[in-house]
Every structure is written in structure tokens, then in C-alpha cells.
């Protein structure tokens, strides 16, 4: 089933001479499949095909694109257990996670299909002509969203399904009307190839143009660099580290024609635990947070890596309870030996800073590539003065900062880099007395959670997964939910255009029956 | 009335030792006022004040911000004739243009005020909780647009009112909830100071926080560079040359925290004249385009600088008629001697290319700083092979390309840089046979016009003023119309947030009565 080759459009090709294997972190051995990296000629061919496909695909109707996305979902499901087994072999995640993440991926694809079938997402906006306006007549103007062109998607390490080959970036770009070229994440090329085969099958069944999707293999930076610099590529989606995302952003910004990069990068997701919550519910929150910190071996971009509270006996009690809960949890496997190594290095760097103490660290025997979850603590002044302490440690890790008072808590929040999320844990109505804290937090994050955990990113229209830099490279967009489509489109105006030559979305009769703004009123009615 | 100083918030300051004067191009003499450039300390103070103001201004209601914008419009009108006189003295534009552009500026301010009073622009999106969902409960999630932070606006040379001190960028940023620091355009600092005084008066009258607006003076690159690199600045708006816009984009992209730059830059606005239109209506279109090319001395970003048609006798006739019409028009004054010099250099560079012929050039005596309108012509092959021929010449200028056939026409369009507009001039139903031309044109532009002229940018929600690079630095946004506000905002999610602590826009009762998406249905109803 796994060929080890690239999909250049619908063709499996592997003319290159560099090859490598993926790794099974649970078994601590290489996987059996051999993968061949894309050659420069294959990269060029994939991009050229995408550009040609764009000329046709941009004019596909919402129904046609929706049928394509639903077919991708069907074909992924049709891969059955084999896909889940490959996923587990390349990620170290348990079977339940594989099933859950596949479900999320299917849901994402179907959500975009539903959006396309409904059709109002194009934000059709119409101002009709006023021929007798003084001093000058007003022309008819009609606007809607149109796709940017071929999009390059960099799969993530931590979501082999939901933020990879046919994940949120690909689904949203295809929904927008943009062909997609995926750089398969090197840790799960086999999973990537299987999902790509589902996309290609779906494209054929639904008569999509050749080149609407390609899936390329590359272990170093050459493939990614070639794609981002290619003049026919018009936008980039990325999920991963700050270093990787920033490198792509810089490449894209320095092109003769700069292109947008939406990079969803690092985050330590600060959690503020207010005094009354510590006093009255510390046991509950300690258990909840031990679970959130270790969920998926801590390999979530929304992992709560920073706990902030005001020092005192209640915080001491909470700290002891958190330690107890954390140490109860059996360690789990990380995605790859290199990720485990980075986790250990990151943890040790923070542990070795002056003023840092270990609150909890799993002490039992652990298997290779398993992570020993760790909680550190430090006082507020030390945290403020040492920027290293706010570096992300990717894995089951959190640092608890004991602040002197509310003012210091606010200073710490103000000094943080941009974050995906911020959380407030509050006793009854307590939050009302902490307006400065919430105001400061809102400035630094894309989503605020009340009395909950940041992990678990709901796929729905009101979700923002993104935030001020470096949580994402452009805080004006989200990577999750149907509005993720807005990253790959631009508004376009037709002035005085003949009605029958307009896209259906903008024609007088409103043949699609979508919701439109007509002369500043939102309506489903035709223009008569 | 004109003090020559900077507005650092509401304070007039001019501690610097560099000063200069603006220039009256009609009289060809310096204006009487002396302007003092902002010092580094004054720049720092303006940015710090803007950051402090943001903490308050971001929480102002739509009503409060709308009242502020309407007050700015009132105060600009209250400056009366003196403002128009200074405008004319610093731009060389005639009185009628001054009045028209003031009207446009007032209209823009009032349009944003109306948008704020109505309130639905924040795109409130709500997904209510599903506590009994399996396998996991769903939290309540609510999203709306929130402002980015202090915005720096670079005024344009060619619109001293509408794209400068209180023009579209400033109005949209203030509407978004962002304090604004204007770098006043060095050609019309006096006009800028007077308009700034109106903004400051309006801010005081409507109790806006100190620092919500500053207006700074600087002749070189130091002021702009300092502002764009300042860590407390969160976004930039610019209207001007490709060179200037790209320099700011590069600075902003290379910051430790990159920030969005919306630069509206150059464009030659291709116009395709189809054969039947040449055959049947060439006289009408020759007269219309002679007017469009020379309007405002050709100093519009939507000036039609490139005419494309298929060669033949009909095109020869049109060319002769265009020459006749162009030579009839009395030359007019350019904005500044330096702009006149650039116009001449640009024109001469294109004229001196091999294969280029002069179709028309005003031959009479002209006053200093007046421009002699010019039309050149070249064949399609020469145009395709010489990139210099597609450079913008800012002023009353156009180059007419005689294409061999439709295929060559399409090749030329495909090879063009991104443009603000593209126009098709067509005989009856003729356009229906040119799908390849319109498809190619759509790919290169932000707005397409049928049987009209690109000049005259309507201020309405369905207008796109922007386009693929380098027409603008981010084609996903517009600089004109109420949706220009989207450049300065980001979506923000509240999860499980207490109802009474939510912004009014997201509360269950919908106290503002705005249109919201609730569980994927657009509605004005409260949530019960």
C-alpha cells in the first residue's frame, strides 16, 4: 500500500536518489517503508500543475468543491484500520488518539463542505447603480472573495491527520479554491502518503483538475525553501516551531513578490489561578491541570506551560496537590527520539536557571522515547528578569510562577510574547475584581478561557486558533474553524459588469440563494 | 493658525532644530510657514501616549467612537475656507478639487461613524455550549473583532485630505479602536497640521483619551523608520510609491515581532479595448480616456497608464482620435517640482526605448510644474520583451500597446505585475468571446471595470482598492470602503466566559441589537 513515492498531481513519482525511513517511537525502531525525496524537477512539475489546475479549479462551484471535500473524507475512512496502524507506528500515539484525530479531520472536511454548499461565506457585497446621483452617477459595484492561487501546506509533527496532509490548512485552502501542495512532515510520511492517496482518489472521482493536489517528500530544508520561493506559489500554511515558521515567513517576505504566510507557532498558554480558586477548589484544579499538562504527552500547541498565581499558603497547598496528581499519571510516548531529546534539553535548561525549583517529576522507570512529566516553580521577580524561563518546552511540562501580588502578575502578563490562549481560573465572581489581569491577558492572546483548560480546540466558527506573534505570524486570521478559509482568499470587485457574466454569487437573481449585503442590508432576496 | 509644530497627543511641540517649508507649485515659490521636525524624544512620547491611550480607547463603545469620528468631520468643516486655501497652496490642485476631496474625506469619516453606530461590523459569532455532547461536552465560544493597537499612518502626496491626516487609513484605524500616529506628508504639512488640529479638537470635545492621535513632521526617512520599528506600534498604513511601501514592508517584516503593513502602491491599471468597441465607438472612448488620463494631472493611483488593443486600421483611427483629444486638453499643475521632475524622467526613459513612438504630447507653452500630457505607442512583442515599458509614470501619461492578436494580449496581461484595476472596453456582447482575457485580467487586479474608466474610486462597501502585489502589500484587504477597518483588527474568542463580563456585542441579550451568527444562523435575536 505504501509506495514511498511523491504524488505529483495524480502520478506517483520517485526519481530522486535520497531516501529515508520514519521511526516507530513506541518500538524504538525504524519503520519498514523507504521514502524517496522529491527532486527539483518533481517540485517544479508539482507547482506548474498546481498553477494550471488553478485556472480551472478557481471556477469550480461551491457544490463541486464541497463534493470533493466530502469525497476526501469518505476515502480517508475507506482506508480503514491500516491507516490507523501506520499513524500509530509513525507517531507513538495510542489507537484512541488515532481514531479521535481521524474523526476531527473528517469533521473539518465536512464542515468546509457544508460551508461551500451553503455558499454565503464569499461575503457577497453589492451596491447597485445610482445613475442620477449628483454631481456624478454611481456605477454598480459587486464584491466577493476569490482564491489567491496555489497554496503550500507544511504538515505538523503533532497532528499527523488534523494539521497535516488533508488537515485544516489543506481543507480550508481547497475550500477557498486554491490548489494545494503538501510538504509531508518527515516524521509521518507513510501516514501522509496514505492520506494523499485518499485525496487523489477523491479528486479523480469528482473530476477535479490534475494538479489540484500534490504531496511531496523531503527531509531537509531544500524542499520547503524551493516551494516557498517559487513565483507560482501564492500563500503558505505552516504549523510548527517558532524557528521553522519564522524562517518561512522571512523567505516569503523577502520574495520579489511577498506572499502571505500563516504560521501557527509556539505558545506557553498562560493560566492565571486567582486566590479564591486556590483557597476553595485547589484539589479539583490540580487534578484537572495535571490531566491537561500531560494530555497527548503534552504535545499540544495549547498545552498550559505557564501557571501564574499569587504566593501564599493556598498556593503551596495547590502546588503539593498538583505534584501529587502529576506523579500519579503514567508517562507516555513522545512523537520521535528527536522530540524527546528536545524536551529533555528544554527542561534541563529551565531547571538549571537560578531560582528554579522542581515541584514534580515522574521518577519511575520509563521506556525509551517516553517523557517524564515535570513541573517547576520560580518566584515572580526571577521570572520577570530571566527571559529563558518563558521559553516553550514542547511536552508534558509547566512552570508555576509565584507572584508577589497582582501588580507583579500583570507585569508578567504584559511582558509575555503573544500566545494562542490565556486562561483565568476564578472562584465565584472573583474575576470581577481582576479587570487589569484580564485586560492585560486579552492583549497577549487569541482566545481566553474561563474556568477550564486551554487544551481541546473546538472546531467551530467562533474558535480562534492564532494570536499575537509568535503564537501566529498574522493574528488577523485563525487556523481552526471555517473562517480559516479567509487566509487564502482576497476580496474582488466587479464594476458595471454584465449580469450574466458575473459569478452566480453576484448575479441579480441570486440563483444560489445565499445571504448577501445589498445596499448595506443583509438579505437572501434577489435584486429586482 | 499654522504653528509649524508637531501634535504630540494634544500638545503642540517643536523642540527640534531641523525645519523646512512646503512649496506652492502654482506660484513656483516656497510657502510662508516654517515646520519643525519631530525629535526622537517627541516620537517616543507620541508612541508611548498612543500605547497608554489604547488601554482606554479599545474599550470605547461604537457609539463613542462614532461620535468622535463625526466630530472630526464637523471640525474639519469648521476650518472653512482657510483650510482649502492652504490645501491649494501646498498641492497645486484647483479649488474644486479641494472641495471635492474634503467632501470625500467627510463622507469617509461619517461612513465609519455609521458603521460603528450600527455595530454589526465586529462579526460577532457565537456557538453556545452543549453540556451533554458525547464523547465530550462543548464549551460556549464567542468571537468578535478587536483592535490591534497603535497604528502608524503615512499620508499620501496626491490626496492631502482623503488619504492623509484624517483620511481613510486614519478613519478606519480609529473606527477599529486603534490610536493613530500620522507621519504628515512632507509636501503638505500645513494642511496636515490644520486637519490634525480638527482631530485634536474633536478628541477633546468627545472625551477621548490623550494620545489617541498624534501628528508628526519629518522630511527624511528617520521619522518613518523610527515609528515602524517601535515595539509599541502594531500596524502600518501607507499610500505611495512601490519603493517607499516596500521599504516599510521590509522594516516591519524584519522586526523581532513582525507587524502588518498595508501599503497601497503603484499601478498602471491596464485597459483592454476590444475590436468592436474600436470599430463602432472609438471617438467616444478616445474622448473619455483623454479625460481619465489627464484627470487630476494624472496623479491618481488608478490612472489608466496602459492601453491594450489588437492592431489594425480601427486601432490606428482610435490612436489618432486619442491624440487629437489629448492635445486639446489644457495642461495642469503637478503636486511638486520633484514630482514634475520624476514625471519627465519617467516619460523620457520610456520614450527613449527602442520601438517606442510618440502618439501625442502637448506642444504648447507650459508653466513651471505643469505637465505636458503624453501618449506613447509600441507593438506587443516589444512590450513583452522590455520590462521597462511597464513601469509606472506618475502623471498624465499612457502607453498604447498594439498587440498582434488575442493570444499576445493574454500573454501581456499574464506578465503584468499586480494592479489595482483592470478595464474592458467592449462592443455589444463582444466581451463574451474574450473569456481568456477577462480570466487573465482578474488574476492580476483587485477590481475590474466594464465599459468605464478606472479613475473615480467610489467609497462604498463593495469597493476594493487594493490588489495583488505591488498594487498593495496584502491583497486580502482594501484601503477604501468600510471594510478597510479589517486591516486593523483581529478576531478574538472568549470561551466559557461569564455573560456579564463579555463585551456588549457578545452578551446573551444582544443589548446593541446587532446582527450576529448564533450557532451558524445570522440573527438579531437575543439568546434565551
Amino acid at each position: 500500500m505504501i509506495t514511498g513515492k511523491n504524488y505529483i498531481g495524480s502520478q506517483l513519482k520517485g526519481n530522486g536518489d535520497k531516501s529515508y525511513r520514519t521511526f516507530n517511537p513506541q518500538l524504538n525502531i525504524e519503520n519498514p517503508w523507504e521514502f524517496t525525496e522529491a527532486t527539483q524537477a518533481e517540485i517544479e512539475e508539482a507547482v506548474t500543475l498546481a498553477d494550471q489546475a488553478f485556472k480551472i479549479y478557481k471556477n469550480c462551484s461551491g457544490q463541486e468543491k464541497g463534493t470533493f471535500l466530502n469525497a476526501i473524507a469518505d476515502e480517508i475512512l475507506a482506508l480503514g484500520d491500516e491507516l490507523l496502524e501506520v499513524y500509530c507506528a509513525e507517531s507513538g500515539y495510542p489507537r484512541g488518539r488515532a481514531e479521535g484525530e481521524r474523526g476531527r479531520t473528517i469533521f473539518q472536511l465536512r464542515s468546509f463542505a457544508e460551508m461551500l454548499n451553503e455558499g454565503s461565506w464569499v461575503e457577497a457585497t453589492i451596491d447597485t447603480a445610482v445613475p442620477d446621483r449628483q454631481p456624478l452617477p454611481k456605477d454598480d459595484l459587486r464584491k466577493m472573495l476569490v482564491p489567491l492561487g496555489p497554496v503550500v501546506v507544511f504538515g505538523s509533527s503533532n497532528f499527523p491527520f488534523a494539521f497535516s496532509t488533508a488537515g485544516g490548512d489543506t481543507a480550508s485552502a481547497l475550500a477557498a479554491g486554491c490548489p494545494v501542495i503538501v510538504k509531508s512532515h518527515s516524521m509521518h510520511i507513510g501516514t501522509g502518503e496514505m492520506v494523499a492517496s485518499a485525496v487523489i482518489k477523491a479528486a479523480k472521482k469528482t473530476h477535479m483538475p490534475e494538479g489540484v493536489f500534490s504531496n511531496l517528500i523531503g527531509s531537509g530544508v531544500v524542499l520547503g525553501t524551493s516551494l516557498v520561493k517559487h513565483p507560482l506559489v501564492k500563500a503558505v500554511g505552516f504549523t510548527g516551531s517558532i524557528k521553522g515558521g519564522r524562517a518561512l515567513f522571512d523567505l516569503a517576505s523577502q520574495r520579489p513578490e511577498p506572499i502571505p504566510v500563516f504560521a501557527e507557532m509556539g505558545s506557553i498558554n498562560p493560566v492565571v489561578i486567582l486566590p479564591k480558586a486556590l483557597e476553595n477548589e485547589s484539589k479539583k484544579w490540580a487534578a484537572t491541570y495535571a490531566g491537561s499538562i500531560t494530555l497527548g504527552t503534552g504535545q499540544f500547541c495549547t498545552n498550559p506551560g505557564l501557571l501564574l498565581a499569587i504566593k501564599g499558603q493556598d498556593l503551596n497547598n495547590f502546588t503539593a496537590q498538583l505534584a501529587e496528581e502529576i506523579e500519579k499519571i503514567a508517562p507516555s510516548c513522545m512523537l520521535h527520539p528527536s522530540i524527546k531529546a528536545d524536551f529533555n534539553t528544554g527542561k534541563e535548561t529551565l531547571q538549571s536557571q537560578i531560582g528554579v525549583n522542581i515541584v514534580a517529576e515522574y521518577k519511575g522507570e520509563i521506556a525509551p522515547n517516553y517523557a517524564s512529566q515535570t513541573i517547576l516553580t520560580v518566584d515572580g521577580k526571577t521570572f520577570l528578569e530571566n527571559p529563558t524561563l518563558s521559553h516553550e518546552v514542547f511536552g508534558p511540562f509547566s512552570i508555576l510562577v509565584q507572584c508577589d501580588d497582582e501588580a507583579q502578575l500583570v507585569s508578567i502578563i504584559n511582558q509575555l510574547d503573544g500566545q494562542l490562549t490565556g486562561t483565568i481560573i476564578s472562584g465565584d465572581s472573583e474575576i470581577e475584581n481582576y479587570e487589569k489581569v484580564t485586560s492585560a491577558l486579552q492583549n497577549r492572546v487569541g482566545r481566553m478561557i474561563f474556568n477550564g483548560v486551554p487544551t481541546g480546540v473546538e472546531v467551530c466558527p467562533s474558535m480562534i486558533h492564532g494570536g499575537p506573534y509568535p503564537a501566529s505570524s498574522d493574528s488577523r486570521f485563525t487556523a481552526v474553524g471555517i473562517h480559516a478559509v479567509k487566509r487564502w482568499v482576497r476580496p474582488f470587485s466587479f464594476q458595471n459588469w454584465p449580469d450574466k457574466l458575473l459569478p452566480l454569487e453576484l448575479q441579480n437573481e441570486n440563483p444560489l440563494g445565499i445571504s448577501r449585503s445589498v445596499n448595506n442590508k443583509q438579505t437572501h432576496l434577489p435584486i429586482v
Side-chain angles (χ1 to χ4, degrees), chain A:
Chain A
M1 188 72 194
I2 291 175
T3 69
K5 294 184 178 174
N6 304 272
Y7 273 103
I8 312 298
S10 66
Q11 304 295 309
L12 278 165
K13 296 196 179 178
N15 295 321
D17 51 12
K18 279 196 211 160
S19 68
Y20 67 99
R21 290 161 188 268
T22 56
F23 195 87
N24 185 321
Q26 287 280 5
L27 303 180
N28 203 29
I29 54 167
E30 278 195 330
N31 283 310
W33 319 290
E34 193 158 298
F35 300 100
T36 306
E37 300 194 17
T39 63
Q40 277 299 328
E42 285 163 350
I43 297 170
E44 186 63 35
E45 194 186 345
V47 177
T48 305
L49 280 177
D51 181 58
Q52 288 165 2
F54 179 57
K55 293 183 175 66
I56 300 163
Y57 190 59
K58 70 174 180 172
N59 294 321
C60 283
S61 69
Q63 290 272 349
E64 288 168 320
K65 291 185 289 180
T67 304
F68 177 32
L69 293 185
N70 276 325
I72 296 173
D74 297 340
E75 295 295 337
I76 290 173
L77 287 173
L79 291 167
D81 278 3
E82 190 188 344
L83 176 63
L84 301 180
E85 284 154 17
V86 174
Y87 170 105
C88 293
E90 292 190 321
S91 68
Y93 284 133
R95 172 77 177 218
R97 161 71 188 252
E99 285 174 11
E101 195 184 326
R102 182 179 63 177
R104 182 189 183 93
T105 306
I106 299 300
F107 181 75
Q108 289 173 165
L109 287 159
R110 299 215 192 280
S111 296
F112 283 109
E114 201 178 312
M115 176 194 87
L116 291 168
N117 285 323
E118 195 281 325
S120 303
W121 72 278
V122 297
E123 298 178 1
T125 308
I126 298 172
D127 293 281
T128 54
V130 187
D132 56 354
R133 188 182 63 174
Q134 293 301 328
L136 287 170
K138 191 200 151 300
D139 272 2
D140 182 283
L141 270 152
R142 303 183 183 215
K143 163 173 109 171
M144 63 179 278
L145 300 173
V146 300
L148 290 179
V151 168
V152 168
V153 170
F154 288 79
S156 73
S157 66
N158 58 340
F159 279 90
F161 287 152
F163 290 92
S164 288
T165 322
D169 287 353
T170 298
S172 57
L174 290 176
C178 299
V180 170
I181 301 159
V182 170
K183 184 208 164 286
S184 201
H185 195 280
S186 55
M187 289 180 192
H188 37 75
I189 307 274
T191 310
E193 187 193 320
M194 288 187 74
V195 174
S197 76
V199 180
I200 293 298
K201 262 186 226 143
K204 281 186 187 162
K205 281 194 183 167
T206 59
H207 313 294
M208 291 296 135
E210 174 68 0
V212 72
F213 180 83
S214 287
N215 182 57
L216 304 182
I217 302 168
S219 61
V221 299
V222 177
L223 171 58
T225 303
S226 303
L227 288 172
V228 173
K229 289 171 87 167
H230 200 293
L232 295 176
V233 168
K234 298 302 178 192
V236 177
F238 170 88
T239 306
S241 69
I242 295 178
K243 199 181 148 203
R246 181 65 191 245
L248 296 181
F249 174 86
D250 287 343
L251 272 181
S253 307
Q254 288 158 16
R255 287 168 45 128
E257 177 197 1
I259 54 172
V261 171
F262 188 88
E264 191 264 278
M265 302 181 284
S267 198
I268 55 174
N269 301 295
V271 177
V272 177
I273 314 177
L274 295 177
K276 282 230 165 71
L278 285 177
E279 188 186 329
N280 300 329
E281 297 186 293
S282 79
K283 222 175 148 56
K284 168 184 142 190
W285 289 119
T288 302
Y289 268 84
S292 177
I293 291 164
T294 55
L295 195 70
T297 323
Q299 299 166 128
F300 285 117
C301 25
T302 53
N303 196 58
L306 176 65
L307 308 177
L308 302 167
I310 295 166
K311 69 184 178 191
Q313 191 51 47
D314 291 331
L315 179 55
N316 296 345
N317 295 343
F318 171 80
T319 307
Q321 287 156 345
L322 179 63
E324 193 183 317
E325 295 290 345
I326 276 280
E327 285 171 1
K328 268 196 247 171
I329 294 170
S332 52
C333 190
M334 296 201 87
L335 288 155
H336 195 269
S338 69
I339 288 195
K340 167 74 187 289
D342 287 348
F343 172 67
N344 280 345
T345 308
K347 217 170 65 164
E348 283 154 19
T349 304
L350 264 66
Q351 268 171 221
S352 67
Q353 303 296 307
I354 290 165
V356 173
N357 293 304
I358 300 176
V359 167
E361 187 171 24
Y362 188 84
K363 286 292 191 294
E365 191 87 359
I366 57 168
N369 308 317
Y370 276 52
S372 56
Q373 55 262 22
T374 302
I375 310 284
L376 306 181
T377 190
V378 69
D379 67 59
K381 184 163 177 290
T382 308
F383 186 83
L384 268 174
E385 289 168 356
N386 185 349
T388 300
L389 295 173
S390 56
H391 285 181
E392 183 182 5
V393 177
F394 187 72
F397 172 89
S398 199
I399 185 163
L400 193 160
V401 180
Q402 305 181 44
C403 304
D404 288 342
D405 50 27
E406 188 190 347
Q408 191 180 58
L409 178 59
V410 171
S411 300
I412 288 174
I413 293 170
N414 282 333
Q415 196 180 281
L416 289 176
D417 282 339
Q419 306 288 336
L420 291 167
T421 73
T423 303
I424 306 271
I425 304 296
S426 156
D428 277 354
S429 305
E430 187 181 15
I431 189 175
E432 294 170 32
N433 306 321
Y434 288 88
E435 195 277 333
K436 280 183 193 162
V437 173
T438 51
S439 175
L441 195 60
Q442 182 173 14
N443 242 12
R444 306 312 305 133
V445 309
R447 171 169 61 110
M448 285 203 303
I449 301 115
F450 179 78
N451 280 354
V453 293
T455 45
V457 181
E458 190 69 34
V459 179
C460 66
S462 53
M463 171 55 69
I464 290 303
H465 193 61
Y469 185 90
S472 62
S473 53
D474 193 337
S475 68
R476 295 173 297 176
F477 299 91
T478 176
V480 171
I482 51 172
H483 294 157
V485 73
K486 295 190 187 183
R487 298 174 294 172
W488 322 120
V489 289
R490 62 185 175 104
F492 187 87
S493 286
F494 295 89
Q495 183 167 339
N496 202 20
W497 211 253
D499 191 65
K500 68 174 175 178
L501 299 182
L502 285 168
L504 295 176
E505 288 86 345
L506 296 177
Q507 291 181 5
N508 283 334
E509 278 196 5
N510 193 13
L512 302 177
I514 61 173
S515 175
R516 315 190 291 188
S517 165
V518 178
N519 297 325
N520 249 328
K521 295 265 174 254
Q522 203 68 30
T523 176
H524 286 79
L525 295 177
I527 293 164
V528 286

